[in-house]
Amino acid sequence: MSNGDIFVGEIIGTAILILFGAGVVAAVVLNDSKAKDAGWVVIAFGWGFGVLAGAYTAAPLSGGHLNPAVTIGIAVDTGDWDKVPIYIAGQMVGAILGAVLCWLTYFAQFQANADEDKAQPTLGIFSTAPAIRNPVANLVTEIIATMGLVLPILAFGLTKGLGESGTAILIVAFLVTGIGLSLGGPTGYAINPARDLGPRLTHALLPIPNKGTSDWGYAWIPVVGPLIGGALSGLIFNAAF
């Protein structure tokens, strides 16, 4: 895979991931949305389908990492770091683009947030926030949840039939859905630095009425936690397998 293919593939795939993921949260939480109050299960499946669509689209160009934690985990396991910056750059650009596309899709609903009687914070559409703010506990949650993603992804590569049949990505999509259902309660399961940081930047810059804070004091946790989880996954996989 060329550097150009990797960069473009990760942009497109991550943009689709964020469009679907942020989109399902917008659908559930914004007033005047037909999916208003559909609930956490809908959000978990929406993110899972975002992984499905984004990774299958990006796979022919870049392999469909869509996540710096996955990229770091693979690099720690293989020792090959040459293309890591290209992957992460594409993922960040794609995450920002996907967040902008979500905003455009729900533009009328975001504009309705100007009504003071119905105004609500919008950061949760774009990025994660903890249910209970405890930096140590929140960091540990993100590390564990990310290991629950990256270790299985690395192990799937050992199953030759999954790659040949093209079902590995489908299984990863179900894995992400399961992480959301099982481990998403404490922090909203960022498990992906680009998925959180790119949309958080977008939220800070977009002209969303009554959007509330972008919560930069918390922003390091969904970046550092998944990176640690990805690196630990690579180390454990390299040692055990």
Side-chain angles (χ1 to χ4, degrees):
M1 292 177 286
S2 71
N3 291 344
D5 284 347
I6 290 171
F7 186 64
V8 171
E10 291 298 295
I11 290 175
I12 294 172
T14 309
I16 293 171
L17 165 64
I18 300 301
L19 174 60
F20 277 48
V24 71
V25 181
V28 170
V29 306
L30 284 175
N31 292 316
D32 304 311
S33 165
K34 291 182 179 293
K36 173 72 173 173
D37 296 327
W40 186 256
V41 173
V42 170
I43 289 173
F45 272 94
W47 275 105
F49 288 133
V51 171
L52 183 73
Y56 267 123
T57 304
L61 291 173
S62 66
H65 293 189
L66 315 188
N67 183 344
V70 172
T71 301
I72 293 295
I74 293 171
V76 169
D77 173 44
T78 63
D80 184 1
W81 292 85
D82 289 348
K83 297 185 184 296
V84 168
I86 300 166
Y87 272 100
I88 294 178
Q91 291 154 5
M92 283 298 301
V93 172
I96 292 169
L97 176 59
V100 172
L101 292 174
C102 172
W103 171 64
L104 291 173
T105 302
Y106 284 91
F107 182 80
Q109 283 73 26
F110 280 115
Q111 291 304 107
N113 208 50
D115 185 343
E116 294 291 346
D117 293 333
K118 300 194 299 181
Q120 56 184 316
T122 56
L123 179 60
I125 295 168
F126 296 90
S127 295
T128 61
I132 298 174
R133 191 171 292 263
N134 180 317
V136 174
N138 301 152
L139 184 66
V140 169
T141 295
E142 285 293 332
I143 292 171
I144 293 172
T146 305
M147 292 176 69
L149 171 69
V150 179
L151 263 176
I153 286 176
L154 294 173
F156 294 159
L158 297 178
T159 306
K160 185 177 180 182
L162 290 179
E164 292 177 345
S165 65
T167 55
I169 291 173
L170 175 62
I171 294 173
V172 172
F174 280 116
L175 174 62
V176 171
T177 302
I179 290 171
L181 294 173
S182 300
L183 306 176
T187 61
Y189 73 114
I191 60 174
N192 181 338
R195 167 264 178 275
D196 195 276
L197 181 58
R200 195 182 298 269
L201 286 167
T202 307
H203 176 267
L205 296 173
L206 285 176
I208 301 171
N210 293 314
K211 64 182 176 181
T213 177
S214 297
D215 196 8
W216 290 106
Y218 179 77
W220 67 274
I221 289 175
V223 172
V224 174
L227 290 178
I228 294 173
L232 288 174
S233 296
L235 290 171
I236 293 169
F237 183 80
N238 188 275
F241 293 88

